[in-house]
């Protein structure tokens, strides 16, 4: 039996939706993509991968803040 992680499935959907041309998207299509990305973020946030991404983004933000001083 094959099991598929919901986060992986959403990541594939987001990747395929973002590869389409920008000018061919409707407002509803853009809103749907935003909702899917938010759902993916909620699923990834409590995982080890989500914490790693948050750590990297935090270090990047602090580096940019220190560089601007």
């Amino acid at each position: 039996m094959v099991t598929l992680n919901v986060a992986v499935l959403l990541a594939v959907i987001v990747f395929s939706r973002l590869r389409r041309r920008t000018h061919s998207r409707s407002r509803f299509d853009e809103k749907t993509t935003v909702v899917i990305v938010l759902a993916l973020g909620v699923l990834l946030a409590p995982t080890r991968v989500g914490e790693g991404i948050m750590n990297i983004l935090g270090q990047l933000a602090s580096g940019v803040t220190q560089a601007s001083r």
Side-chain angles (χ1 to χ4, degrees), residues 52-68:
I53 292 170
M54 185 64 168
N55 187 16
I56 290 170
L57 290 177
Q59 289 177 0
L60 180 66
S62 67
V64 168
T65 303
Q66 289 177 359
S68 66

Side-chain angles (χ1 to χ4, degrees), residues 4-42:
L4 185 62
N5 192 345
V6 175
V8 173
L9 179 63
L10 283 177
V12 169
I13 291 171
V14 167
F15 181 75
S16 66
R17 291 180 71 86
L18 292 179
R19 288 194 40 101
R20 293 187 0 202
R21 293 181 181 245
T22 305
H23 60 79
S24 64
R25 295 185 195 152
S26 66
R27 283 203 183 274
F28 178 75
D29 198 26
E30 289 177 354
K31 289 177 183 178
T32 305
T33 302
V34 168
V35 169
I36 292 172
V37 168
L38 287 174
L40 179 62
V42 167

